[in-house]
Structures are given as structure tokens and as C-alpha cells.
Amino acid sequence: GFSWTLPDHPKLPKGKTVAVVVLDGWGEANADKYNCIHVAQTPVMDSLKNGAPERWRLVKAHGTAVGLPSDDDMGNSEVGHNALGAGRIYAQGAKLVDLALASGKIYDGEGFNYIKECFDKGTLHLIGLLSDGGVHSRLDQVQLLLKGASERGAKRIRVHILTDGRDVLDGSSVGFVETLENDLSQLREKGIDAQIASGGGRMYVTMDRYENDWDVVKRGWDAQVLGEAPYKFKNAIEAVKTLRAETKTNDQYLPPFVIVDESGKSVGPVVDGDAVVTFNFRADRMVMLAKALEYADFDKFDRVRVPKIRYAGMLQYDGELKLPSRYLVSPPEIERTSGEYLVKNGVRTFACSETVKFGHVTFFWNGNRSGYFDETKEEYVEIPSDSGITFNVKPNMKALEIAEKARDAILSGKFDQVRVNLPNGDMVGHTGDIEATVVACKAADEAVKIILDAIEQVGGIYLVTADHGNAEDMVKRNKSGQPLLDKNGAIQILTSHTLQPVPVAIGGPGLHPGVRFRSDIQAPGLANVAATVMNFHGYEAPADYETTLIEVVDN
Ligand code: 3PG
Ligand code: CO
């Protein structure tokens, strides 16, 4: 029968302290001036790359290698950390929603039938990120859902949009709103009362994560549910264009607005008897709104009015909390993660990051599960992130603090695995500020040094990798790799992640001298890391895990 006991590795010992460092948004790309990692002083990561060739390599971090629909999909932290921690490739939210829409199964499920009850008398509200980024949501899925719901009886539909500019180019929001408006006008021709009702930029409205700043969610609640916002417009295209021009904010940070009718009344507050669907498939930035929509007891902000609604998520965002309780598509069932195996085999684990990435090295790493497997053997430390700023203002973020916590955990002798996420390359990369991203990369590199020095002191082992690319390429390029220029000859800044591979570097005095990367694995990806880390703890990975990256030669 099934057993949690891992087989001993035939050659590698137990009891070594293993540091697992995830550099968020740190890919490998050609060296040019838009590669902030190349431009920055990063002596530690450079020395790993230029060290023993059998201990540094690249792995895939995007597309099908991490369970995304196609190899045109850039990597992201959710799927990246899922793969790193689970050691297997799961079809992820984006793909599962595609399949459910294509087969029509989405409309047979419990979740859809639950919200459908409101179609006769109530309004169907769709709330989510409007872009084709494919990280949190996808516009084409929203289009299909609009079509499917209207064909199945939805007569009044309101869409509450969050503009992107983070997983896609800044300024692209206008085009996405135009596309949606066009679809909605076609529905109106068919006699369906369909409109955009509110909006705002994703980083300022609704899509906070890990409870960094509830004000963000409140701003969204006010606009979406109460129908109140500082800006009022007759239509959403005008709203986005005007706010971009007049408030000088980018898509990510647009202030909240509502669409009003001739008499100045909001066209789409959420009221008793309505149905709400949050159409993001990714959890981290929707779970806070899900709580506000679903919980009877809620004290994070004053909701003012709590309508009696039927609410479903595109996916269930937290399996542990069963939140939301209704959802249109079942999330990937990620089980038997490396974290759970190792803890059950006695590996004492410390995990740390700052707020904005804390859930990445815990929740995502552990297969979208919050909390400890065994609190006697685990400690998870969250360092509060700066809130209310964009991280180009403080590009060092909490890298030093994270590294010091990791160092202390390594030196304490209380842990076998010390795992961190260093957010700088990603969080600052997303701002599109190239100079600040260079500073960010340097800060991350300095943090790696502190951790590797501690590993040196205790005779341990390190594995340094990344979850996906970001800081290594800050410009949109054409097919042949040349920077794309806009009408005015300016480059188009790439705020998003990339399709680039990421490094895996291994070493440390505790690593058996015969360990080297295998050369016989076809196109390995992030999912191959879990088995590798299990080996470093002296275990073989379960048979169904993606194979280890290493072999041990006798010398
Ligand atoms: C975000 O949520 O900030 C971006 O859409 C994706 O970034 P992450 O995958 O690195 O968290
Ligand atoms: Co990112």
C-alpha cells in the first residue's frame, strides 16, 4: 500500500543542511542593456554560472513544462512554485478552464447551476482581470463565459474589470476594453442587457495578495458592490483613456471608477438576488475578495452593505479553507508534495519570504495548501513588505532581512531545509523601471551571498534557482529578438514575465564531490528540482516524480 516513507538514496547521506533559494523573476537571457541581471553587479550568481559546468544549468520555467496550455505561455510564480514543490507537472488553472469551456462541462457543474438560479430575476456580475496575460485570467475565457451564460439564460450581465499592464504591456487595457465592449454590444443586439459596470487598476483595486493591504480590496468592493467610486464615466473606454491621461497612472494603478447612466446612477451595483463570478483562475490575488464576498463574519473593512448573492469562483482558490465554496472548475489536485514527504520523513523545514511572496514559498510550494504539515517540524516566517508603495521606490525590498533570517535558521542547527523566495527581480521588474530593477538584482545577489556563506559555515548544500524570468528582459521584442519601438521611436517596456529558462546552481561543502548534473534528461524543467532536493536530504524521490537532475559518480 501507500507509504510516506522515502527510500534512502544509495549514495547521498542524510542530515545535511540544505538551502533552497528561489530568485523570483530571474531568467537567463542574452546580455544586453535591457537585461538588468547582466547590467547589475551580481558577483555571486556570476560565480555560480562561471563555476563548475556540471553544477550550473538551465531548466524550463514556462509553458507546458509547468502545466500551462502552450509553450507561448510565459511562466509565473504560481505554476513555478507548484512545480518546484510538487515535483510533477499538473495541468494548471488556465488549462483546466480551457478544457471545461471547450467541452462545455463548465455549464454542467455544480457551480454554474448554483449561480444560474439567479439568471431569471437577478444580474450576473463577472469580476476579474481583463487581459490576455494568462497568469490570473484570460480574456478569451471571459468571452466564452459571457456567450455561454447568455445562451443559458443570463439576461442582465455586468462586468467589473481590472486593468492589467503587468502581465501584458502597459496601455494595452484600452484594446482589451474595446474587445469586451464589442462583445457586450453584440449581446445587447440579442436583447441581453450587458454592460461594463466598474473598473480600476489591478494593483490599486481588488487584486492585493496575502493580506498586504485590505484597502485595495475595499476600493474594489465600493466600486463593484456598492457602485461608488471617485470617478464616474458613461463608458469604460472613455474611463480608461481619460484616467490614463489625466491621472497619469498606468494600467496597473488606475483609480477605481463606476459607469453611470443618464441620471448619474451606477449601472451595476451588486444587489440581493444577484450572482457573482470572479473569473480569475489564479488564487493569490482573488482570495481576499472571495472572503469579502463569502464570509458572514468579516472584519477586514466595513462592507457597508452585504447583498444576498450566489457567488462562485472560476476555481476554488483555497482548498483548505474551501473558499469559495462554489466554483465553476475544479482546481488541480496537487498532492504528495515534496514538502509533505520531507516533513513526514523527519526533515525540519524553515521557509521565509516577505509578505508579497510569502505564500509562494509556503502555499504554492505546498500545492496550494495553507498552514503547516507538522508544526513541530516546520517554521514559516513572513517579513512584512512595505505597503502602499511601488517597489521601484525601494528596490532592495526585504532581501537583506530575508537572508538574515535564513542565515540564522541555517546557523541555528534546528533545520534541515531552509527555503526562501527573494522577490526583487520580479516585483521591481513588474514596475518596468529599468534602473530600479538593476538595483533590485544586486540586492538579491547580495542576499544569496549571505545564505551561501552560512551554508559554507555549517558544511551544508545549496540549490539556487528561480521560478520564471522577468528582470533579465525588460523590453518587448519582435520575433527576431530586436527591441520593438513605438510610434515615437521609444522602446516598449516589458513589465511582464518572460519565456526564458532559469538557472539551477548546486554546491556547498556538504555536497558529495561526485554530484553533477545529468546530461541525459530531455528538456528538464522546474518540476525536476523537487527530486533533486530530496536527494540532497539523502532520499530518493517517489517513482512518479519528475526525475532528479543529478547523478553521483565515484571519484
Ligand atoms: C502578479 O500577480 O504580480 C503577476 O501577475 C505575476 O507575478 P508572479 O507570478 O511573479 O507572482
Ligand atoms: Co511576477
Side-chain angles (χ1 to χ4, degrees):
F2 171 74
S3 161
W4 283 104
T5 307
L6 292 170
D8 293 337
H9 192 280
K11 292 182 176 162
L12 297 178
K14 299 191 176 38
K16 300 284 181 193
T17 307
V18 180
V20 180
V21 179
V22 182
L23 292 157
D24 213 293
W26 191 285
E28 178 72 12
N30 291 338
D32 71 9
K33 63 179 176 182
Y34 303 113
N35 179 338
C36 293
I37 297 170
H38 162 71
V39 174
Q41 297 290 320
T42 54
V44 180
M45 291 304 291
D46 291 349
S47 74
L48 297 181
K49 181 176 166 183
N50 302 323
E54 65 277 11
R55 290 190 168 183
W56 186 94
R57 69 162 302 152
L58 295 172
V59 296
K60 284 192 175 190
H62 80 287
T64 51
V66 286
L68 291 170
S70 89
D71 285 337
D72 296 330
D73 292 305
M74 63 195 169
N76 70 70
S77 292
E78 174 190 44
V79 300
H81 285 79
N82 278 171
L84 285 165
R88 284 147 297 160
I89 302 163
Y90 286 86
Q92 288 285 353
K95 173 103 187 251
L96 297 172
V97 173
D98 283 346
L99 294 172
L101 283 165
S103 66
K105 283 216 175 88
I106 195 168
Y107 305 114
D108 302 334
E110 214 196 307
F112 188 80
N113 281 301
Y114 174 70
I115 56 159
K116 206 171 114 187
E117 295 289 309
C118 299
F119 287 0
D120 242 0
K121 299 201 180 83
T123 302
L124 169 63
H125 298 265
L126 303 180
I127 307 176
L129 182 67
L130 192 75
S131 80
D132 63 3
V135 174
H136 294 269
S137 66
R138 274 210 340 262
L139 174 59
D140 62 320
Q141 295 178 346
V142 180
Q143 293 178 293
L144 287 174
L145 186 60
L146 277 169
K147 183 168 180 286
S150 58
E151 284 168 2
R152 288 166 182 79
K155 299 185 189 68
R156 192 166 185 274
I157 302 175
R158 293 293 179 265
V159 188
H160 303 264
I161 63 167
L162 300 163
T163 53
D164 192 344
R166 186 173 178 91
D167 299 326
V168 291
L169 292 186
D170 182 46
S172 60
S173 62
V174 178
F176 295 126
V177 176
E178 283 168 352
T179 304
L180 177 62
E181 282 291 13
N182 186 43
D183 281 33
L184 295 174
S185 82
Q186 284 177 21
L187 288 178
R188 287 196 292 273
E189 274 165 31
K190 293 189 187 132
I192 292 158
D193 172 9
Q195 251 183 290
I196 295 177
S198 77
R202 55 175 287 177
M203 298 302 283
Y204 191 63
V205 177
T206 300
M207 284 175 60
D208 186 43
R209 68 177 161 209
Y210 307 139
E211 311 209 355
N212 194 41
D213 184 0
W214 275 101
D215 279 346
V216 175
V217 186
K218 176 177 163 31
R219 275 179 217 117
W221 181 273
D222 291 351
Q224 296 140 3
V225 178
L226 306 181
E228 289 164 12
Y231 294 93
K232 298 181 173 57
F233 290 94
K234 289 276 151 52
N235 76 70
I237 298 174
E238 185 199 327
V240 171
K241 283 188 177 162
T242 310
L243 290 173
R244 280 182 55 85
E246 286 180 7
T247 66
K248 294 235 167 17
T249 33
N250 52 27
D251 289 349
Q252 298 190 49
Y253 286 92
L254 288 190
F257 62 85
V258 290
I259 304 303
V260 293
D261 62 17
E262 298 302 316
S263 64
K265 255 182 62 194
S266 138
V267 300
V270 180
V271 299
D272 287 356
D274 286 354
V276 174
V277 171
T278 47
F279 60 74
N280 287 18
F281 42 73
R282 175 160 152 177
D284 57 347
R285 293 189 186 276
M286 261 306 136
V287 79
M288 292 167 75
L289 173 58
K291 286 179 182 170
L293 287 167
E294 183 145 315
Y295 286 166
D297 289 326
F298 179 85
D299 59 5
K300 303 302 185 183
F301 58 84
D302 181 3
R303 290 180 291 184
V304 183
R305 184 170 60 74
V306 185
K308 290 187 190 59
I309 56 166
R310 286 180 175 240
Y311 165 49
M314 182 65 101
L315 258 72
Q316 184 166 60
Y317 301 129
D318 190 321
E320 211 74 342
L321 300 175
K322 302 258 181 296
L323 186 78
S325 53
R326 313 285 177 146
Y327 44 93
L328 304 186
V329 177
S330 297
E333 281 177 47
I334 305 176
E335 27 74 81
R336 296 187 300 106
T337 61
S338 63
E340 187 163 13
Y341 266 113
L342 288 171
V343 165
K344 291 205 156 98
N345 284 272
V347 171
R348 300 160 304 166
T349 302
F350 178 90
C352 176
S353 190
E354 60 172 282
T355 310
V356 293
K357 295 287 181 184
F358 176 68
H360 289 39
V361 271
T362 55
F363 177 81
F364 286 149
W365 189 277
N366 292 332
N368 306 335
R369 210 167 268 99
S370 16
Y372 294 119
F373 295 112
D374 178 349
E375 39 186 322
T376 67
K377 295 199 179 64
E378 289 166 282
E379 186 178 338
Y380 297 169
V381 172
E382 174 184 347
I383 297 178
S385 287
D386 293 315
S387 64
I389 59 158
T390 55
F391 289 105
N392 55 333
V393 179
K394 289 191 180 173
N396 291 343
M397 300 183 68
K398 303 293 180 207
L400 179 64
E401 290 84 344
I402 295 165
E404 287 175 346
K405 285 276 187 241
R407 176 199 62 200
D408 294 349
I410 291 165
L411 299 182
S412 75
K414 287 197 277 187
F415 299 101
D416 305 297
Q417 180 175 119
V418 172
R419 181 169 80 229
V420 299
N421 175 298
L422 297 169
N424 309 62
D426 184 66
M427 293 302 287
V428 186
H430 279 303
T431 69
D433 182 333
I434 292 182
E435 268 172 54
T437 307
V438 171
V439 178
C441 293
K442 178 166 184 279
D445 191 73
E446 287 165 359
V448 175
K449 175 165 183 8
I450 293 171
I451 297 167
L452 299 199
D453 284 350
I455 283 296
E456 190 72 32
Q457 271 192 56
V458 301
I461 300 172
Y462 61 78
L463 183 147
V464 182
T465 186
D467 59 343
H468 54 72
N470 185 337
E472 80 287 357
D473 197 7
M474 297 293 289
V475 69
K476 177 91 179 160
R477 294 172 190 273
N478 65 18
K479 286 235 162 60
S480 51
Q482 301 307 312
L484 269 177
L485 305 180
D486 69 13
K487 296 186 283 281
N488 311 317
I491 58 152
Q492 297 189 38
I493 295 283
L494 190 73
T495 52
S496 72
H497 301 167
T498 70
L499 304 171
Q500 297 301 120
V502 298
V504 180
I506 56 174
L511 192 59
H512 184 298
V515 168
R516 63 178 190 198
F517 282 130
R518 293 163 57 173
S519 54
D520 59 339
I521 313 171
Q522 285 296 312
L526 292 176
N528 297 81
V529 167
T532 312
V533 172
M534 284 172 155
N535 294 167
F536 293 170
H537 286 292
Y539 297 103
E540 295 247 55
D544 63 341
Y545 269 45
E546 294 295 322
T547 180
T548 178
L549 294 168
I550 58 150
E551 62 190 357
V552 188
V553 293
D554 298 310
N555 43 4

